Amino acid sequence: MLRLFVRRILYGFLILNLMTVLLFVLVRLVPGDAVAIQLADAAVSEERIAELTAEFGLDVPIHSQLVDWYSGAITGDFGTSFSTGQSVASMVFGRLPLTLILTGLSVAIAIVLGIGAGVTSAIRRNGWVDNVVRFLSVLSLSLPNFWLGLMLLTITSVVWKWVPPLGWEGFVESPWTSIQQLFMPALALGASLGASIARLTRSSLLEVLGSDFIRTVRAKGAPERVVLYKHALRNSLIPVITLIGIQIGALLGGTVILESIFSLPGLGREVFGALNRRDYPVLQMGAILYGAIFIVVNIAVDLSYGLVNPRMRVRANGGTS
Amino acid sequence: MRRSGIHRWLAALFALALLAGACGGDDGGTDEVGAGDTETDGDTGDAPVPEEGEGEPQPGGTLIVAATSDGDTLDPHASASFNVHNRVGLASSRLLKPDLSAEYEYGEAPLTGDLAEEWEVSDDLLTYTFHLRDDVVWHDMAPVNGRPFVADDVVATFERILDEGFQAYMLENVTSIEAPDEHTVVITLSQPFAPLLNYMGNHHMWIMPREGVEGEYDVSTQVIGTGPFMLTEWDRGVTTVYEKNPDYFEEGVPYLDGVEMPVVPDQGARTAAFRAGETHIITAVNPEETASLLAAVPDARHLQYIGTAPLIMYVNMEQEPFNDLRVRRAMSMAVDREGLGDALYGSGHYTGPVNAHVKAFALPEDELAELMPYDVEAAKQLLADAGYPDGFSTTLMTTAGYGPRIVNGAEWVVEDLAAIGIDAEIEVVDYATYIGQRWANVEYEMAVGLQTPFQEADEWLRAQHHSDGSRNWWNINDPELDTMLDEQAATVDEDERISLIQDIQRYIVEEVSNPMQLWIGDTEIILGPTVRNYLSQPQYGTNHYAYVWLEE
């Protein structure tokens, strides 16, 4: 188990570095530079453009820029934003909690709704509840999350003359306001994951319920509750966990647009803005964070198999390396 | 006809814009100021006369206006963005400003004093003397702490601009800025510079205290000014909060206790917030949204102003066949401007090289309509004369960064050009690539886009059409035009300059025909039921909020 863990961490670190270098070069190859964009609204002189280019360190070759960046990053200095002049670390880390909370909340909503609906649907197989759940899950899978978000917002504004309060104050500072602000985007973001979970839980549960060991458990006279929750559900959750692990990446992508629709100052909006301004240092830091989150989630998913299914623990320790 | 097809497309895309959110130009803006009396203006210090029928001013309340996006900094010398200058401007003052009295139509306000009470220009046109108000204090915020405003602050600000400001070109030919006493500023020029007074009233020329210039506080995150409101909180990307400045030098204003500008990037969300009554004013709405919002909010009021950022088509004049004037004229004649304006904006006007909102200098609309005829047969003939009887193929660059409307405009142009045999293929590039690389470096054959809402005729003409112009992003190189452009910049007499500038525009349309102005749509603003006395002029800075009140 420990060996698996350490190996995963090392791989993750390697991948993160490869990604860093690749991104560093790629963003600089994309046309359009930060200086020209920043000064685009004015009739500004050539000298001023040259001055700013030097100030941003963009007048040296890419490999020297990369060396500069790494020597700063090692000491924890990730540079200064071209557009705000603020430290990149403070800008990006300040935006991170909101995005994590939003993603976490949407995963939580998806799990509660998805597993609940999936289990109900499997038990009442082919009944009307099953049909409703199946219809709703196909529907939520087909609706893009931004459309759903905008519809929620428009409907509440038309019907109840209500929209979530404007202006993010921070989750710790004003939790009630934050929950009002986060609920709709989290629902919109989690809807399609919830639908996938429901469908997968249903089919996986039905498959397990039809297997031999369940018949054995039933034959031993276990009550239906125990059959369902202790034996069947637990076994059918493994593919669901894999699904959640894979989908978290998509959810993080979705936060970018939902943060814009719901006026939330999260990491997604910050990084998207940085991309549009070609603010390389912010872009770099943001992408590293996204990459790190993705890697951590994947490691966590791998490890969680062990929690759900003891056989995996044995296999990992058995050293099949 | 294909047109009805386009119409349906547009309707669909406008509906989509609801989802995608449109790009920004908030309150539009620019200000052109007729200005220029060499004698003083006198009589400042009173709030402008309110509009009739607005009732009695009511003090109190907080005005909430959703912003489309936020600035990256509050340093007015680091960025020309409307985001920065709208936020800085509400808390700051300039030497001069457009007179916001209700009697002046949008775009016709003359200059009046802001921090300067009177000003004179010497007979040789090389010395400008500004007499400053003596009753102005800075906002009561550390480290400036409400000390009196003095001439030295103006000197410090202008020196910073000359040193590092993007707006240094507004102080062209300036050789010295001096403060002979606490309430006088003298600006000396090496040669006459006609736009100078207009630039003193420009929405990029906010005065900051010397403490800011010397780094005693961080001007990129804090504003200390002398304006009607004090900026008390700037949470980038979230909100900007202002409180009334109790020591503001104009008597009796502002009426509001405060202003808040929460950032709501999505157009659909802004619409929802306005409908729910969370915000008082909504800007940058299109005609369809306007109709639905007016129906949804019964007492809302609709304002329609001439726009400030014209739709343009432009070509790279160093490339064949665009180096041939006949080809450029043919392209211009091939576009049905009125049809395009109607389909795209449902409103608006012909516009020329100096955009129509700069009313003192712009060519009259009738004349523009004559200069830019829609004549497919004549266009074909011109193309044939130039040696392209069967037309040619080209690539038309545009960007989605201005919103779907501009891409639709490009599609319209493609169809019109096809009618004279020009086969243009659209290439949509992202905004940063468009403006930061392709346009600025003239890496395109032809393109359709928007022009920046400049204020001064010199920015519209010399910067864009002079062979050395900083915004000559189309490879114009015409010595005769250069001479004319230099001449107007040195002609201080207002009437004489207007006549020169109008001649230059005629010359550009007929003899250069690049960039080709297609249309200027109107800017639509909707005021909530309680908003009164909204005295807007085409400028960034939103300082007209000083005179707004909210009806109970």
Side-chain angles (χ1 to χ4, degrees):
Chain A
M1 196 72 192
L2 185 68
R3 232 169 96 186
L4 177 82
F5 183 68
V6 171
R7 214 168 61 197
R8 284 317 196 101
I9 295 278
L10 286 178
Y11 277 143
F13 189 70
L14 188 69
I15 291 169
L16 207 54
N17 276 285
L18 278 175
M19 195 195 79
T20 302
V21 174
L22 198 66
L23 189 85
F24 196 92
V25 176
L26 280 180
V27 293
R28 281 164 176 76
L29 293 180
V30 175
D33 73 89
V35 179
I37 293 160
Q38 204 165 327
L39 299 175
D41 284 341
V44 80
S45 69
E46 297 285 330
E47 296 84 63
R48 184 75 195 120
I49 289 174
E51 256 174 57
L52 264 182
T53 308
E55 202 178 302
F56 293 162
L58 295 173
D59 54 343
V60 297
I62 290 184
H63 60 265
S64 333
Q65 292 180 37
L66 183 62
V67 172
D68 285 349
W69 186 86
Y70 257 105
S71 46
I74 287 167
T75 62
D77 173 12
F78 293 94
T80 306
S81 160
F82 292 166
S83 47
T84 66
Q86 311 294 311
S87 126
V88 168
S90 73
M91 275 170 72
V92 170
F93 283 116
R95 301 303 199 208
L96 183 61
L98 170 55
T99 299
L100 290 183
I101 293 171
L102 177 59
T103 314
L105 196 60
S106 67
V107 172
I109 290 176
I111 290 177
V112 170
L113 293 182
I115 293 186
V119 170
T120 320
S121 193
I123 299 171
R124 310 275 151 92
R125 187 179 178 188
N126 294 331
W128 68 269
V129 179
D130 186 25
N131 288 331
V132 169
V133 167
R134 278 154 75 186
F135 174 74
L136 283 181
S137 57
V138 170
L139 191 69
S140 346
L141 271 176
S142 334
L143 296 176
N145 54 28
F146 64 88
W147 186 86
L148 200 57
L150 208 49
M151 281 304 121
L152 288 172
L153 197 56
T154 307
I155 289 167
T156 61
S157 83
V158 171
V159 179
W160 294 290
K161 300 263 170 217
W162 183 87
V163 289
L166 296 173
W168 175 257
E169 292 161 9
F171 196 81
V172 181
E173 291 79 358
S174 31
W176 174 234
T177 311
S178 302
I179 287 170
Q180 294 179 59
Q181 292 170 329
L182 286 172
F183 182 72
M184 286 204 283
L187 187 63
L189 191 58
S192 71
L193 178 60
S196 311
I197 292 177
R199 289 170 64 82
L200 194 61
T201 307
R202 178 180 178 276
S203 60
S204 173
L205 190 57
L206 283 177
E207 196 188 314
V208 174
L209 282 175
S211 65
D212 290 347
F213 85 90
I214 291 292
R215 201 183 50 195
T216 313
V217 173
R218 283 214 176 107
K220 284 163 73 181
E224 198 55 29
R225 276 184 68 88
V226 175
V227 172
L228 194 63
Y229 293 106
K230 189 160 176 222
H231 298 278
L233 185 59
R234 195 160 166 171
N235 272 292
S236 57
L237 280 185
I238 292 171
V240 174
I241 291 172
T242 314
L243 175 80
I244 295 170
I246 294 169
Q247 287 294 316
I248 281 181
L251 282 189
L252 280 172
T255 57
V256 177
I257 191 153
L258 284 164
E259 280 165 8
S260 283
I261 293 174
F262 288 91
S263 316
L264 298 170
L267 184 60
R269 229 175 92 197
E270 186 80 287
V271 172
F272 187 65
L275 176 67
N276 285 335
R277 298 186 306 259
R278 300 289 189 269
D279 192 341
Y280 303 143
V282 175
L283 205 52
Q284 191 77 32
M285 187 75 216
I288 290 174
L289 273 184
Y290 272 118
I293 293 171
F294 202 79
I295 289 166
V296 167
V297 166
N298 271 291
I299 294 175
V301 167
D302 283 356
L303 296 179
S304 68
Y305 290 146
L307 297 180
V308 187
N309 187 344
R311 278 172 295 177
M312 299 248 182
R313 257 175 277 171
V314 178
R315 213 175 294 159
N317 280 333
T320 43
S321 65
Chain B
M1 288 232 318
R2 278 301 302 270
R3 286 292 136 77
S4 63
I6 285 197
H7 242 126
R8 233 174 292 133
W9 251 109
L10 286 176
L13 279 159
F14 278 137
L16 263 185
L18 223 158
L19 301 181
C23 99
D26 213 69
D27 214 330
T30 311
D31 100 23
E32 177 38 42
V33 251
D37 268 7
T38 43
E39 277 311 299
T40 75
D41 188 85
D43 182 44
T44 53
D46 298 321
V49 185
E51 245 176 306
E52 275 177 46
E54 295 287 85
E56 280 297 303
Q58 293 187 11
T62 298
L63 182 75
I64 303 173
V65 186
T68 54
S69 48
D70 207 342
D72 298 322
T73 171
L74 291 177
D75 180 350
H77 304 142
S79 166
S81 160
F82 70 95
N83 272 321
V84 175
H85 293 272
N86 273 347
R87 286 175 177 77
V88 173
L90 192 51
S92 304
S93 315
R94 304 160 262 192
L95 288 187
L96 310 178
K97 66 176 181 184
D99 189 332
L100 295 181
S101 299
E103 63 185 284
Y104 300 112
E105 291 288 312
Y106 189 78
E108 291 178 2
L111 281 181
T112 185
D114 197 3
L115 289 171
E117 232 165 1
E118 297 180 343
W119 56 97
E120 307 110 37
V121 184
S122 67
D123 291 339
D124 62 3
L125 306 174
L126 295 179
T127 310
Y128 287 70
T129 308
F130 295 90
H131 303 282
L132 308 178
R133 301 180 68 110
D134 56 9
D135 56 351
V136 181
V137 293
W138 293 102
H139 292 162
D140 193 2
M141 302 163 100
V144 184
N145 299 324
R147 72 162 172 81
F149 155 78
V150 290
D152 180 57
D153 295 312
V154 180
V155 175
T157 303
F158 286 173
E159 279 174 351
R160 185 168 192 264
I161 288 174
L162 285 172
D163 191 35
E164 57 179 284
F166 72 88
Q167 57 278 73
Y169 68 91
M170 296 187 187
L171 296 171
E172 196 176 312
N173 302 339
V174 169
T175 50
S176 79
I177 303 150
E178 279 159 5
D181 64 60
E182 284 205 337
H183 300 291
T184 310
V185 172
V186 178
I187 296 181
T188 315
L189 305 176
S190 56
Q191 48 177 306
F193 184 50
L196 190 89
L197 281 180
N198 284 345
Y199 281 147
M200 290 300 143
N202 186 283
H203 58 202
H204 288 138
M205 293 297 263
W206 313 107
I207 305 298
M208 61 168 61
R210 179 169 280 282
E211 288 86 344
V213 174
E214 294 189 343
E216 289 181 37
Y217 66 96
D218 183 359
V219 296
S220 69
T221 56
Q222 196 184 354
V223 178
I224 299 179
T226 52
F229 292 91
M230 302 187 291
L231 193 157
T232 52
E233 184 197 341
W234 181 53
D235 188 354
R236 191 177 57 84
V238 183
T239 191
T240 314
V241 181
Y242 299 84
E243 271 169 31
K244 172 183 186 161
N245 172 10
D247 304 317
Y248 187 50
F249 55 83
E250 282 187 32
E251 288 298 316
V253 292
Y255 302 119
L256 297 165
D257 288 339
V259 176
E260 280 178 34
M261 299 184 192
V263 178
V264 184
D266 185 82
Q267 177 75 17
R270 280 197 300 279
T271 311
F274 182 76
R275 246 197 220 124
E278 289 279 316
T279 59
H280 292 104
I281 298 173
I282 181 164
T283 58
V285 281
N286 64 41
E288 282 76 7
E289 285 162 353
T290 302
S292 104
L293 282 175
L294 289 176
V297 186
D299 291 322
R301 286 187 297 170
H302 176 213
L303 303 179
Q304 201 167 0
Y305 298 126
I306 189 164
T308 53
L311 181 70
I312 56 174
M313 165 170 82
Y314 53 94
V315 298
N316 178 353
M317 282 170 60
E318 274 183 1
Q319 280 196 10
E320 280 186 30
F322 306 112
N323 54 354
D324 190 322
L325 174 63
R326 289 169 297 190
V327 171
R328 301 194 298 269
R329 284 297 290 158
M331 292 172 72
S332 177
M333 278 184 188
V335 179
D336 172 11
R337 288 177 166 80
E338 290 177 24
L340 178 151
D342 191 43
L344 238 55
Y345 298 94
S347 68
H349 305 274
Y350 280 90
T351 186
V354 175
N355 188 50
H357 77 279
V358 189
K359 289 189 180 164
F361 293 98
L363 287 175
E365 187 167 10
D366 295 349
E367 189 181 346
L368 285 168
E370 271 172 42
L371 285 170
M372 304 171 173
Y374 171 46
D375 189 338
V376 175
E377 290 313 311
K380 280 183 180 162
Q381 188 57 47
L382 276 169
L383 266 192
D385 293 348
Y388 300 95
D390 302 324
F392 53 87
S393 297
T394 184
T395 304
L396 186 159
M397 172 180 79
T398 191
T399 177
Y402 295 122
R405 191 186 287 184
I406 304 313
V407 180
N408 298 149
E411 284 162 356
W412 182 286
V413 165
V414 167
E415 281 199 42
D416 278 351
L417 291 180
I420 62 165
I422 299 175
D423 174 23
E425 192 185 332
I426 294 188
E427 181 196 9
V428 182
V429 297
D430 79 292
Y431 181 71
T433 307
Y434 173 86
I435 198 151
Q437 172 96 15
R438 303 280 297 277
W439 187 14
N441 296 335
V442 205
E443 293 170 9
Y444 57 82
E445 293 183 2
M446 68 168 296
V448 167
L450 292 183
Q451 184 53 281
T452 303
F454 293 109
Q455 292 194 291
E456 169 37 50
D458 202 39
E459 293 170 296
W460 287 102
L461 296 179
R462 198 160 52 112
Q464 296 181 35
H465 300 86
H466 196 284
S467 53
D468 296 330
S470 54
R471 286 291 290 244
N472 179 352
W473 292 349
W474 5 75
N475 289 333
I476 296 175
N477 187 354
D478 182 334
E480 196 182 330
L481 181 58
D482 286 357
T483 314
M484 293 161 81
L485 290 168
D486 290 335
E487 191 191 351
Q488 64 76 25
T491 306
V492 178
D493 181 86
E494 174 92 359
D495 293 334
E496 213 178 309
R497 185 167 180 238
I498 289 175
S499 136
L500 286 174
I501 280 179
Q502 297 201 332
D503 283 344
I504 292 172
Q505 294 184 73
R506 292 178 190 110
Y507 180 87
I508 290 173
V509 173
E510 297 199 305
E511 305 296 326
V512 182
S513 192
N514 194 35
M516 293 162 252
Q517 291 75 28
L518 298 181
W519 199 252
I520 181 69
D522 286 341
T523 301
E524 318 244 357
I525 298 173
I526 300 177
L527 304 181
T530 57
V531 178
R532 294 288 178 276
N533 204 36
Y534 189 85
L535 302 167
S536 183
Q537 284 291 335
Q539 56 161 346
Y540 304 157
T542 59
N543 51 0
H544 55 286
Y545 293 166
Y547 313 115
V548 167
W549 71 84
L550 295 172
E551 190 82 20
E552 287 287 308

